[in-house]
Amino acid sequence: MLYIIPTPIGNLKDITFRALGTLQNVDEILAEDTRVTRKLLDHYQISKPIRSYHAHNEHKIFPTLISDMSKGKTYGLVSDAGTPAISDPGFLLVRACYQSKIKVVPLPGPTALIAAVAGSGLPADRFHFEGFLPHKKGRNKRLEFLATYPYTIVLYESPYRLLKTIKDIQSVFGEERRVCVVKEISKIYEKFTLDYPENLITNFEEETKIKGEFVLVIEGDSK
C-alpha cells in the first residue's frame, strides 16, 4: 500500500492527526529531502526508516518500491512541504501502483495552492492551477494562452524569478489584471498583496533581495 501524506508548508501545527498516525504506522517513509523530513519526525517523536525519493532518482527506484509493496510493504510518500505529486515528485509512483493493482491512499492536508486562492480576494469558484511556468522555451506562448483564460490562474514562483514573472504578466496580460502575490504561506512572514502589476513591480524593485516562497494568483480575463 502507498499513503500520500501531506506535510506542513510552514507552521508544524498544520499537520493532521491522521497524517501523524499514518507516519507512525507505515513501514518506511519516502522523502523528497530526508533531512527536512527527519526534522518533522523528530519534532513529533516519530522514529521510522526514511528513503530518499525525488525528481532525480524516482525513475530508477520506483520499480523496486512497487516490488516491495507487492510483497506487502507499506510506504508513506511525503514531500518537503505540502501535498506530494502537486508540483513535486509522486506521479510516476502513483501511476505504477495503479498498474500493479497496489492500493493508493491520498490523505487530505496542507497545500499552498488552496490557501493562496482562498486568501487572494479573487474569485475561487473556478480556477486554473498552472504550477511553475517554463523558464525559457515555450514561456511566452504559455503566458499568451493563460492571458485568455476567463478564470483565476495560480502560479508557483521562486524568489529569483518573481519580479520577471510579474513583469511578464504586465506585458502579456495587461495593466488592468490584478495579481495577488502570496508570500511564505503559514510561516512567520506570511503576506498577501493584491494589486496591479505596476504597483507590485515598484514594491519589489525597492527590495534589496527578494526572499521566500511565492504563489501568484492572477485575475481571469473578463472580456
Side-chain angles (χ1 to χ4, degrees), residues 109-159:
T111 172
L113 160 65
I114 299 302
V117 174
S120 69
L122 296 173
D125 53 334
R126 296 183 185 181
F127 59 88
H128 169 76
F129 175 57
E130 181 69 13
F132 289 97
L133 287 169
H135 294 176
K136 295 180 180 179
K137 185 177 180 181
R139 182 181 177 90
N140 288 340
K141 186 175 181 180
R142 192 64 192 168
L143 283 166
E144 289 170 359
F145 167 77
L146 293 172
T148 66
Y149 196 75
Y151 308 115
T152 300
I153 299 160
V154 187
L155 306 176
Y156 285 167
E157 194 50 276
S158 77

mmCIF file of all heavy atoms in Angstrom, residues 109-159:
data_model
loop_
_atom_site.group_PDB
_atom_site.id
_atom_site.type_symbol
_atom_site.label_atom_id
_atom_site.label_comp_id
_atom_site.label_asym_id
_atom_site.label_seq_id
_atom_site.Cartn_x
_atom_site.Cartn_y
_atom_site.Cartn_z
ATOM 1 N N GLY A 109 -4.846 17.395 3.266
ATOM 2 C CA GLY A 109 -3.975 18.160 4.152
ATOM 3 C C GLY A 109 -3.446 19.423 3.511
ATOM 4 O O GLY A 109 -4.001 19.897 2.509
ATOM 5 N N PRO A 110 -2.376 19.983 4.053
ATOM 6 C CA PRO A 110 -1.875 21.290 3.617
ATOM 7 C C PRO A 110 -1.454 21.311 2.150
ATOM 8 O O PRO A 110 -0.845 20.371 1.648
ATOM 9 C CB PRO A 110 -0.651 21.514 4.517
ATOM 10 C CG PRO A 110 -0.821 20.597 5.658
ATOM 11 C CD PRO A 110 -1.565 19.414 5.144
ATOM 12 N N THR A 111 -1.795 22.415 1.477
ATOM 13 C CA THR A 111 -1.285 22.698 0.142
ATOM 14 C C THR A 111 -1.318 24.202 -0.072
ATOM 15 O O THR A 111 -2.317 24.859 0.229
ATOM 16 C CB THR A 111 -2.091 21.984 -0.962
ATOM 17 O OG1 THR A 111 -1.667 22.441 -2.247
ATOM 18 C CG2 THR A 111 -3.580 22.231 -0.836
ATOM 19 N N ALA A 112 -0.225 24.757 -0.566
ATOM 20 C CA ALA A 112 -0.127 26.206 -0.766
ATOM 21 C C ALA A 112 -1.161 26.700 -1.772
ATOM 22 O O ALA A 112 -1.678 27.811 -1.656
ATOM 23 C CB ALA A 112 1.280 26.568 -1.243
ATOM 24 N N LEU A 113 -1.478 25.867 -2.732
ATOM 25 C CA LEU A 113 -2.420 26.228 -3.788
ATOM 26 C C LEU A 113 -3.764 26.698 -3.230
ATOM 27 O O LEU A 113 -4.236 27.798 -3.538
ATOM 28 C CB LEU A 113 -2.610 25.019 -4.709
ATOM 29 C CG LEU A 113 -3.855 24.961 -5.590
ATOM 30 C CD1 LEU A 113 -3.833 26.070 -6.615
ATOM 31 C CD2 LEU A 113 -3.976 23.597 -6.248
ATOM 32 N N ILE A 114 -4.394 25.888 -2.402
ATOM 33 C CA ILE A 114 -5.732 26.196 -1.899
ATOM 34 C C ILE A 114 -5.709 27.384 -0.940
ATOM 35 O O ILE A 114 -6.579 28.258 -0.976
ATOM 36 C CB ILE A 114 -6.352 24.962 -1.231
ATOM 37 C CG1 ILE A 114 -6.491 23.819 -2.239
ATOM 38 C CG2 ILE A 114 -7.702 25.300 -0.620
ATOM 39 C CD1 ILE A 114 -7.340 24.160 -3.465
ATOM 40 N N ALA A 115 -4.715 27.423 -0.071
ATOM 41 C CA ALA A 115 -4.609 28.544 0.871
ATOM 42 C C ALA A 115 -4.452 29.869 0.128
ATOM 43 O O ALA A 115 -5.048 30.886 0.513
ATOM 44 C CB ALA A 115 -3.434 28.321 1.815
ATOM 45 N N ALA A 116 -3.659 29.864 -0.934
ATOM 46 C CA ALA A 116 -3.427 31.089 -1.703
ATOM 47 C C ALA A 116 -4.696 31.569 -2.396
ATOM 48 O O ALA A 116 -5.030 32.754 -2.360
ATOM 49 C CB ALA A 116 -2.321 30.858 -2.733
ATOM 50 N N VAL A 117 -5.421 30.650 -3.013
ATOM 51 C CA VAL A 117 -6.661 31.022 -3.701
ATOM 52 C C VAL A 117 -7.692 31.539 -2.707
ATOM 53 O O VAL A 117 -8.342 32.571 -2.931
ATOM 54 C CB VAL A 117 -7.227 29.827 -4.496
ATOM 55 C CG1 VAL A 117 -8.588 30.178 -5.087
ATOM 56 C CG2 VAL A 117 -6.284 29.419 -5.607
ATOM 57 N N ALA A 118 -7.832 30.855 -1.599
ATOM 58 C CA ALA A 118 -8.842 31.228 -0.607
ATOM 59 C C ALA A 118 -8.583 32.618 -0.026
ATOM 60 O O ALA A 118 -9.529 33.358 0.270
ATOM 61 C CB ALA A 118 -8.871 30.201 0.515
ATOM 62 N N GLY A 119 -7.326 32.990 0.136
ATOM 63 C CA GLY A 119 -6.997 34.267 0.745
ATOM 64 C C GLY A 119 -6.661 35.376 -0.223
ATOM 65 O O GLY A 119 -6.272 36.478 0.193
ATOM 66 N N SER A 120 -6.828 35.126 -1.520
ATOM 67 C CA SER A 120 -6.380 36.082 -2.536
ATOM 68 C C SER A 120 -7.327 37.260 -2.752
ATOM 69 O O SER A 120 -6.921 38.318 -3.223
ATOM 70 C CB SER A 120 -6.182 35.361 -3.874
ATOM 71 O OG SER A 120 -7.435 34.936 -4.410
ATOM 72 N N GLY A 121 -8.610 37.069 -2.459
ATOM 73 C CA GLY A 121 -9.585 38.103 -2.776
ATOM 74 C C GLY A 121 -10.055 38.052 -4.218
ATOM 75 O O GLY A 121 -10.802 38.928 -4.676
ATOM 76 N N LEU A 122 -9.651 37.014 -4.943
ATOM 77 C CA LEU A 122 -10.082 36.815 -6.327
ATOM 78 C C LEU A 122 -11.060 35.640 -6.391
ATOM 79 O O LEU A 122 -11.049 34.782 -5.499
ATOM 80 C CB LEU A 122 -8.870 36.556 -7.225
ATOM 81 C CG LEU A 122 -7.886 37.727 -7.336
ATOM 82 C CD1 LEU A 122 -6.638 37.319 -8.111
ATOM 83 C CD2 LEU A 122 -8.548 38.934 -8.005
ATOM 84 N N PRO A 123 -11.908 35.583 -7.413
ATOM 85 C CA PRO A 123 -12.916 34.516 -7.493
ATOM 86 C C PRO A 123 -12.298 33.131 -7.361
ATOM 87 O O PRO A 123 -11.289 32.825 -8.011
ATOM 88 C CB PRO A 123 -13.533 34.719 -8.882
ATOM 89 C CG PRO A 123 -13.347 36.180 -9.158
ATOM 90 C CD PRO A 123 -12.022 36.535 -8.546
ATOM 91 N N ALA A 124 -12.897 32.295 -6.518
ATOM 92 C CA ALA A 124 -12.339 30.968 -6.250
ATOM 93 C C ALA A 124 -13.299 29.850 -6.615
ATOM 94 O O ALA A 124 -13.031 28.682 -6.308
ATOM 95 C CB ALA A 124 -11.945 30.864 -4.782
ATOM 96 N N ASP A 125 -14.426 30.186 -7.261
ATOM 97 C CA ASP A 125 -15.366 29.138 -7.630
ATOM 98 C C ASP A 125 -14.824 28.272 -8.763
ATOM 99 O O ASP A 125 -15.118 27.081 -8.844
ATOM 100 C CB ASP A 125 -16.728 29.731 -8.019
ATOM 101 C CG ASP A 125 -16.624 30.798 -9.092
ATOM 102 O OD1 ASP A 125 -15.553 31.439 -9.209
ATOM 103 O OD2 ASP A 125 -17.619 31.003 -9.808
ATOM 104 N N ARG A 126 -14.015 28.891 -9.628
ATOM 105 C CA ARG A 126 -13.320 28.161 -10.687
ATOM 106 C C ARG A 126 -11.925 28.766 -10.822
ATOM 107 O O ARG A 126 -11.773 29.985 -10.827
ATOM 108 C CB ARG A 126 -14.044 28.277 -12.031
ATOM 109 C CG ARG A 126 -15.424 27.659 -12.059
ATOM 110 C CD ARG A 126 -16.026 27.769 -13.439
ATOM 111 N NE ARG A 126 -17.391 27.286 -13.469
ATOM 112 C CZ ARG A 126 -18.142 27.257 -14.570
ATOM 113 N NH1 ARG A 126 -17.653 27.696 -15.727
ATOM 114 N NH2 ARG A 126 -19.379 26.799 -14.513
ATOM 115 N N PHE A 127 -10.928 27.901 -10.957
ATOM 116 C CA PHE A 127 -9.576 28.421 -11.166
ATOM 117 C C PHE A 127 -8.722 27.387 -11.885
ATOM 118 O O PHE A 127 -9.043 26.194 -11.912
ATOM 119 C CB PHE A 127 -8.931 28.833 -9.839
ATOM 120 C CG PHE A 127 -8.807 27.731 -8.825
ATOM 121 C CD1 PHE A 127 -7.697 26.892 -8.807
ATOM 122 C CD2 PHE A 127 -9.794 27.538 -7.869
ATOM 123 C CE1 PHE A 127 -7.581 25.876 -7.876
ATOM 124 C CE2 PHE A 127 -9.684 26.529 -6.921
ATOM 125 C CZ PHE A 127 -8.573 25.703 -6.929
ATOM 126 N N HIS A 128 -7.626 27.873 -12.459
ATOM 127 C CA HIS A 128 -6.698 27.014 -13.186
ATOM 128 C C HIS A 128 -5.358 27.013 -12.460
ATOM 129 O O HIS A 128 -4.777 28.062 -12.215
ATOM 130 C CB HIS A 128 -6.500 27.529 -14.615
ATOM 131 C CG HIS A 128 -5.368 26.857 -15.337
ATOM 132 N ND1 HIS A 128 -5.471 25.587 -15.855
ATOM 133 C CD2 HIS A 128 -4.096 27.271 -15.612
ATOM 134 C CE1 HIS A 128 -4.329 25.259 -16.432
ATOM 135 N NE2 HIS A 128 -3.474 26.260 -16.288
ATOM 136 N N PHE A 129 -4.859 25.829 -12.122
ATOM 137 C CA PHE A 129 -3.553 25.715 -11.486
ATOM 138 C C PHE A 129 -2.516 25.409 -12.548
ATOM 139 O O PHE A 129 -2.529 24.350 -13.163
ATOM 140 C CB PHE A 129 -3.576 24.615 -10.430
ATOM 141 C CG PHE A 129 -2.223 24.363 -9.814
ATOM 142 C CD1 PHE A 129 -1.524 25.390 -9.203
ATOM 143 C CD2 PHE A 129 -1.658 23.095 -9.850
ATOM 144 C CE1 PHE A 129 -0.275 25.166 -8.632
ATOM 145 C CE2 PHE A 129 -0.420 22.859 -9.283
ATOM 146 C CZ PHE A 129 0.270 23.893 -8.674
ATOM 147 N N GLU A 130 -1.604 26.340 -12.764
ATOM 148 C CA GLU A 130 -0.563 26.186 -13.784
ATOM 149 C C GLU A 130 0.726 25.624 -13.211
ATOM 150 O O GLU A 130 1.521 25.025 -13.923
ATOM 151 C CB GLU A 130 -0.284 27.552 -14.433
ATOM 152 C CG GLU A 130 0.753 27.537 -15.528
ATOM 153 C CD GLU A 130 0.306 26.804 -16.790
ATOM 154 O OE1 GLU A 130 -0.904 26.509 -16.916
ATOM 155 O OE2 GLU A 130 1.160 26.531 -17.659
ATOM 156 N N GLY A 131 0.955 25.804 -11.907
ATOM 157 C CA GLY A 131 2.231 25.367 -11.340
ATOM 158 C C GLY A 131 3.348 26.320 -11.735
ATOM 159 O O GLY A 131 3.150 27.534 -11.794
ATOM 160 N N PHE A 132 4.521 25.782 -12.041
ATOM 161 C CA PHE A 132 5.652 26.609 -12.458
ATOM 162 C C PHE A 132 5.632 26.824 -13.970
ATOM 163 O O PHE A 132 5.437 25.880 -14.733
ATOM 164 C CB PHE A 132 6.973 25.947 -12.064
ATOM 165 C CG PHE A 132 7.250 25.963 -10.592
ATOM 166 C CD1 PHE A 132 6.941 24.864 -9.805
ATOM 167 C CD2 PHE A 132 7.811 27.075 -9.987
ATOM 168 C CE1 PHE A 132 7.195 24.868 -8.438
ATOM 169 C CE2 PHE A 132 8.069 27.091 -8.620
ATOM 170 C CZ PHE A 132 7.760 25.991 -7.850
ATOM 171 N N LEU A 133 5.840 28.056 -14.386
ATOM 172 C CA LEU A 133 5.952 28.366 -15.808
ATOM 173 C C LEU A 133 7.280 27.841 -16.354
ATOM 174 O O LEU A 133 8.254 27.722 -15.606
ATOM 175 C CB LEU A 133 5.903 29.875 -16.027
ATOM 176 C CG LEU A 133 4.562 30.578 -15.847
ATOM 177 C CD1 LEU A 133 4.781 32.091 -15.834
ATOM 178 C CD2 LEU A 133 3.589 30.192 -16.950
ATOM 179 N N PRO A 134 7.351 27.559 -17.660
ATOM 180 C CA PRO A 134 8.656 27.234 -18.256
ATOM 181 C C PRO A 134 9.611 28.412 -18.065
ATOM 182 O O PRO A 134 9.200 29.571 -18.117
ATOM 183 C CB PRO A 134 8.321 27.046 -19.740
ATOM 184 C CG PRO A 134 6.858 26.792 -19.789
ATOM 185 C CD PRO A 134 6.260 27.529 -18.642
ATOM 186 N N HIS A 135 10.870 28.115 -17.849
ATOM 187 C CA HIS A 135 11.842 29.197 -17.650
ATOM 188 C C HIS A 135 12.148 29.922 -18.959
ATOM 189 O O HIS A 135 12.263 31.147 -18.989
ATOM 190 C CB HIS A 135 13.143 28.643 -17.070
ATOM 191 C CG HIS A 135 12.974 28.100 -15.689
ATOM 192 N ND1 HIS A 135 13.983 27.480 -14.996
ATOM 193 C CD2 HIS A 135 11.904 28.082 -14.858
ATOM 194 C CE1 HIS A 135 13.557 27.110 -13.806
ATOM 195 N NE2 HIS A 135 12.287 27.447 -13.706
ATOM 196 N N LYS A 136 12.264 29.165 -20.031
ATOM 197 C CA LYS A 136 12.634 29.777 -21.321
ATOM 198 C C LYS A 136 11.728 29.270 -22.446
ATOM 199 O O LYS A 136 10.794 29.945 -22.846
ATOM 200 C CB LYS A 136 14.107 29.482 -21.634
ATOM 201 C CG LYS A 136 15.087 30.136 -20.655
ATOM 202 C CD LYS A 136 16.531 29.811 -21.011
ATOM 203 C CE LYS A 136 17.487 30.472 -20.025
ATOM 204 N NZ LYS A 136 18.908 30.137 -20.342
ATOM 205 N N LYS A 137 12.015 28.074 -22.941
ATOM 206 C CA LYS A 137 11.294 27.551 -24.093
ATOM 207 C C LYS A 137 9.801 27.405 -23.801
ATOM 208 O O LYS A 137 9.395 26.749 -22.844
ATOM 209 C CB LYS A 137 11.877 26.195 -24.490
ATOM 210 C CG LYS A 137 11.267 25.629 -25.768
ATOM 211 C CD LYS A 137 11.933 24.319 -26.143
ATOM 212 C CE LYS A 137 11.322 23.748 -27.411
ATOM 213 N NZ LYS A 137 11.941 22.445 -27.784
ATOM 214 N N GLY A 138 8.990 28.040 -24.638
ATOM 215 C CA GLY A 138 7.545 27.935 -24.514
ATOM 216 C C GLY A 138 6.917 28.857 -23.488
ATOM 217 O O GLY A 138 5.702 28.855 -23.313
ATOM 218 N N ARG A 139 7.728 29.665 -22.811
ATOM 219 C CA ARG A 139 7.214 30.530 -21.743
ATOM 220 C C ARG A 139 6.222 31.566 -22.275
ATOM 221 O O ARG A 139 5.106 31.692 -21.761
ATOM 222 C CB ARG A 139 8.379 31.218 -21.035
ATOM 223 C CG ARG A 139 7.958 32.120 -19.868
ATOM 224 C CD ARG A 139 9.174 32.785 -19.241
ATOM 225 N NE ARG A 139 8.807 33.696 -18.187
ATOM 226 C CZ ARG A 139 8.687 33.373 -16.899
ATOM 227 N NH1 ARG A 139 8.902 32.134 -16.520
ATOM 228 N NH2 ARG A 139 8.360 34.277 -15.997
ATOM 229 N N ASN A 140 6.621 32.324 -23.284
ATOM 230 C CA ASN A 140 5.742 33.379 -23.815
ATOM 231 C C ASN A 140 4.462 32.806 -24.402
ATOM 232 O O ASN A 140 3.373 33.368 -24.211
ATOM 233 C CB ASN A 140 6.481 34.203 -24.869
ATOM 234 C CG ASN A 140 7.532 35.104 -24.254
ATOM 235 O OD1 ASN A 140 7.485 35.412 -23.067
ATOM 236 N ND2 ASN A 140 8.499 35.525 -25.074
ATOM 237 N N LYS A 141 4.596 31.689 -25.099
ATOM 238 C CA LYS A 141 3.416 31.064 -25.695
ATOM 239 C C LYS A 141 2.438 30.633 -24.607
ATOM 240 O O LYS A 141 1.213 30.777 -24.743
ATOM 241 C CB LYS A 141 3.844 29.859 -26.534
ATOM 242 C CG LYS A 141 2.704 29.215 -27.307
ATOM 243 C CD LYS A 141 3.223 28.108 -28.209
ATOM 244 C CE LYS A 141 2.090 27.483 -29.012
ATOM 245 N NZ LYS A 141 2.583 26.388 -29.896
ATOM 246 N N ARG A 142 2.972 30.112 -23.506
ATOM 247 C CA ARG A 142 2.113 29.678 -22.409
ATOM 248 C C ARG A 142 1.426 30.856 -21.746
ATOM 249 O O ARG A 142 0.244 30.812 -21.417
ATOM 250 C CB ARG A 142 2.949 28.906 -21.372
ATOM 251 C CG ARG A 142 2.113 28.166 -20.349
ATOM 252 C CD ARG A 142 1.279 27.092 -21.006
ATOM 253 N NE ARG A 142 0.272 26.551 -20.096
ATOM 254 C CZ ARG A 142 -0.727 25.769 -20.468
ATOM 255 N NH1 ARG A 142 -0.870 25.433 -21.746
ATOM 256 N NH2 ARG A 142 -1.600 25.333 -19.598
ATOM 257 N N LEU A 143 2.162 31.946 -21.562
ATOM 258 C CA LEU A 143 1.585 33.153 -20.970
ATOM 259 C C LEU A 143 0.477 33.720 -21.853
ATOM 260 O O LEU A 143 -0.564 34.166 -21.363
ATOM 261 C CB LEU A 143 2.675 34.198 -20.757
ATOM 262 C CG LEU A 143 3.587 33.969 -19.542
ATOM 263 C CD1 LEU A 143 4.813 34.851 -19.636
ATOM 264 C CD2 LEU A 143 2.832 34.229 -18.246
ATOM 265 N N GLU A 144 0.691 33.704 -23.154
ATOM 266 C CA GLU A 144 -0.319 34.212 -24.096
ATOM 267 C C GLU A 144 -1.591 33.376 -24.018
ATOM 268 O O GLU A 144 -2.708 33.911 -24.112
ATOM 269 C CB GLU A 144 0.250 34.208 -25.512
ATOM 270 C CG GLU A 144 1.321 35.276 -25.729
ATOM 271 C CD GLU A 144 2.048 35.115 -27.047
ATOM 272 O OE1 GLU A 144 1.724 34.148 -27.791
ATOM 273 O OE2 GLU A 144 2.956 35.922 -27.326
ATOM 274 N N PHE A 145 -1.438 32.072 -23.846
ATOM 275 C CA PHE A 145 -2.610 31.206 -23.694
ATOM 276 C C PHE A 145 -3.347 31.524 -22.389
ATOM 277 O O PHE A 145 -4.567 31.673 -22.359
ATOM 278 C CB PHE A 145 -2.185 29.741 -23.709
ATOM 279 C CG PHE A 145 -3.264 28.794 -23.250
ATOM 280 C CD1 PHE A 145 -4.315 28.452 -24.090
ATOM 281 C CD2 PHE A 145 -3.230 28.259 -21.967
ATOM 282 C CE1 PHE A 145 -5.321 27.596 -23.652
ATOM 283 C CE2 PHE A 145 -4.221 27.401 -21.527
ATOM 284 C CZ PHE A 145 -5.272 27.078 -22.374
ATOM 285 N N LEU A 146 -2.598 31.639 -21.302
ATOM 286 C CA LEU A 146 -3.211 31.891 -19.998
ATOM 287 C C LEU A 146 -3.909 33.248 -19.948
ATOM 288 O O LEU A 146 -4.900 33.419 -19.224
ATOM 289 C CB LEU A 146 -2.148 31.825 -18.899
ATOM 290 C CG LEU A 146 -1.525 30.442 -18.649
ATOM 291 C CD1 LEU A 146 -0.365 30.560 -17.672
ATOM 292 C CD2 LEU A 146 -2.572 29.472 -18.123
ATOM 293 N N ALA A 147 -3.407 34.196 -20.716
ATOM 294 C CA ALA A 147 -3.985 35.545 -20.711
ATOM 295 C C ALA A 147 -5.429 35.553 -21.195
ATOM 296 O O ALA A 147 -6.202 36.466 -20.874
ATOM 297 C CB ALA A 147 -3.140 36.479 -21.568
ATOM 298 N N THR A 148 -5.825 34.547 -21.955
ATOM 299 C CA THR A 148 -7.188 34.478 -22.484
ATOM 300 C C THR A 148 -8.125 33.669 -21.587
ATOM 301 O O THR A 148 -9.321 33.586 -21.858
ATOM 302 C CB THR A 148 -7.183 33.835 -23.882
ATOM 303 O OG1 THR A 148 -6.777 32.457 -23.778
ATOM 304 C CG2 THR A 148 -6.226 34.568 -24.817
ATOM 305 N N TYR A 149 -7.585 33.087 -20.529
ATOM 306 C CA TYR A 149 -8.376 32.215 -19.658
ATOM 307 C C TYR A 149 -9.335 33.056 -18.816
ATOM 308 O O TYR A 149 -8.913 34.030 -18.188
ATOM 309 C CB TYR A 149 -7.439 31.397 -18.772
ATOM 310 C CG TYR A 149 -8.089 30.211 -18.114
ATOM 311 C CD1 TYR A 149 -8.388 29.068 -18.840
ATOM 312 C CD2 TYR A 149 -8.413 30.228 -16.768
ATOM 313 C CE1 TYR A 149 -8.982 27.970 -18.245
ATOM 314 C CE2 TYR A 149 -9.018 29.135 -16.153
ATOM 315 C CZ TYR A 149 -9.302 28.016 -16.907
ATOM 316 O OH TYR A 149 -9.908 26.942 -16.307
ATOM 317 N N PRO A 150 -10.615 32.700 -18.764
ATOM 318 C CA PRO A 150 -11.598 33.554 -18.074
ATOM 319 C C PRO A 150 -11.656 33.408 -16.558
ATOM 320 O O PRO A 150 -12.371 34.154 -15.902
ATOM 321 C CB PRO A 150 -12.925 33.109 -18.703
ATOM 322 C CG PRO A 150 -12.701 31.684 -19.073
ATOM 323 C CD PRO A 150 -11.258 31.580 -19.493
ATOM 324 N N TYR A 151 -10.905 32.456 -16.003
ATOM 325 C CA TYR A 151 -10.979 32.216 -14.565
ATOM 326 C C TYR A 151 -9.643 32.500 -13.883
ATOM 327 O O TYR A 151 -8.609 32.665 -14.534
ATOM 328 C CB TYR A 151 -11.418 30.771 -14.287
ATOM 329 C CG TYR A 151 -12.674 30.384 -15.013
ATOM 330 C CD1 TYR A 151 -12.674 29.396 -15.994
ATOM 331 C CD2 TYR A 151 -13.879 31.037 -14.735
ATOM 332 C CE1 TYR A 151 -13.841 29.054 -16.671
ATOM 333 C CE2 TYR A 151 -15.052 30.693 -15.409
ATOM 334 C CZ TYR A 151 -15.030 29.705 -16.377
ATOM 335 O OH TYR A 151 -16.174 29.377 -17.042
ATOM 336 N N THR A 152 -9.667 32.535 -12.590
ATOM 337 C CA THR A 152 -8.475 32.792 -11.792
ATOM 338 C C THR A 152 -7.373 31.777 -12.116
ATOM 339 O O THR A 152 -7.640 30.589 -12.312
ATOM 340 C CB THR A 152 -8.830 32.717 -10.289
ATOM 341 O OG1 THR A 152 -9.827 33.715 -10.007
ATOM 342 C CG2 THR A 152 -7.618 32.950 -9.415
ATOM 343 N N ILE A 153 -6.143 32.258 -12.175
ATOM 344 C CA ILE A 153 -4.982 31.436 -12.531
ATOM 345 C C ILE A 153 -4.009 31.436 -11.353
ATOM 346 O O ILE A 153 -3.774 32.473 -10.730
ATOM 347 C CB ILE A 153 -4.290 31.986 -13.783
ATOM 348 C CG1 ILE A 153 -5.257 31.973 -14.964
ATOM 349 C CG2 ILE A 153 -3.027 31.191 -14.115
ATOM 350 C CD1 ILE A 153 -4.864 32.905 -16.080
ATOM 351 N N VAL A 154 -3.423 30.273 -11.075
ATOM 352 C CA VAL A 154 -2.495 30.152 -9.947
ATOM 353 C C VAL A 154 -1.140 29.651 -10.447
ATOM 354 O O VAL A 154 -1.058 28.640 -11.147
ATOM 355 C CB VAL A 154 -3.029 29.181 -8.877
ATOM 356 C CG1 VAL A 154 -2.132 29.217 -7.643
ATOM 357 C CG2 VAL A 154 -4.471 29.513 -8.515
ATOM 358 N N LEU A 155 -0.083 30.378 -10.074
ATOM 359 C CA LEU A 155 1.287 30.004 -10.425
ATOM 360 C C LEU A 155 2.112 29.839 -9.156
ATOM 361 O O LEU A 155 1.884 30.527 -8.165
ATOM 362 C CB LEU A 155 1.958 31.086 -11.275
ATOM 363 C CG LEU A 155 1.288 31.582 -12.542
ATOM 364 C CD1 LEU A 155 2.125 32.712 -13.135
ATOM 365 C CD2 LEU A 155 1.164 30.451 -13.552
ATOM 366 N N TYR A 156 3.100 28.964 -9.212
ATOM 367 C CA TYR A 156 4.148 28.917 -8.197
ATOM 368 C C TYR A 156 5.373 29.636 -8.766
ATOM 369 O O TYR A 156 5.639 29.560 -9.973
ATOM 370 C CB TYR A 156 4.536 27.471 -7.867
ATOM 371 C CG TYR A 156 3.532 26.730 -7.013
ATOM 372 C CD1 TYR A 156 3.616 25.349 -6.872
ATOM 373 C CD2 TYR A 156 2.507 27.380 -6.335
ATOM 374 C CE1 TYR A 156 2.716 24.641 -6.082
ATOM 375 C CE2 TYR A 156 1.604 26.688 -5.548
ATOM 376 C CZ TYR A 156 1.716 25.322 -5.428
ATOM 377 O OH TYR A 156 0.825 24.632 -4.643
ATOM 378 N N GLU A 157 6.115 30.323 -7.909
ATOM 379 C CA GLU A 157 7.304 31.011 -8.399
ATOM 380 C C GLU A 157 8.376 31.106 -7.324
ATOM 381 O O GLU A 157 8.071 31.183 -6.131
ATOM 382 C CB GLU A 157 6.940 32.407 -8.917
ATOM 383 C CG GLU A 157 8.019 33.067 -9.745
ATOM 384 C CD GLU A 157 8.543 32.162 -10.856
ATOM 385 O OE1 GLU A 157 9.441 31.334 -10.568
ATOM 386 O OE2 GLU A 157 8.070 32.274 -11.993
ATOM 387 N N SER A 158 9.626 31.087 -7.761
ATOM 388 C CA SER A 158 10.755 31.224 -6.846
ATOM 389 C C SER A 158 11.061 32.704 -6.642
ATOM 390 O O SER A 158 10.681 33.546 -7.467
ATOM 391 C CB SER A 158 11.991 30.523 -7.414
ATOM 392 O OG SER A 158 12.582 31.321 -8.425
ATOM 393 N N PRO A 159 11.768 33.066 -5.576
ATOM 394 C CA PRO A 159 12.111 34.473 -5.358
ATOM 395 C C PRO A 159 13.025 35.027 -6.437
ATOM 396 O O PRO A 159 13.031 36.235 -6.694
ATOM 397 C CB PRO A 159 12.806 34.457 -3.987
ATOM 398 C CG PRO A 159 13.262 33.061 -3.796
ATOM 399 C CD PRO A 159 12.252 32.198 -4.481
#
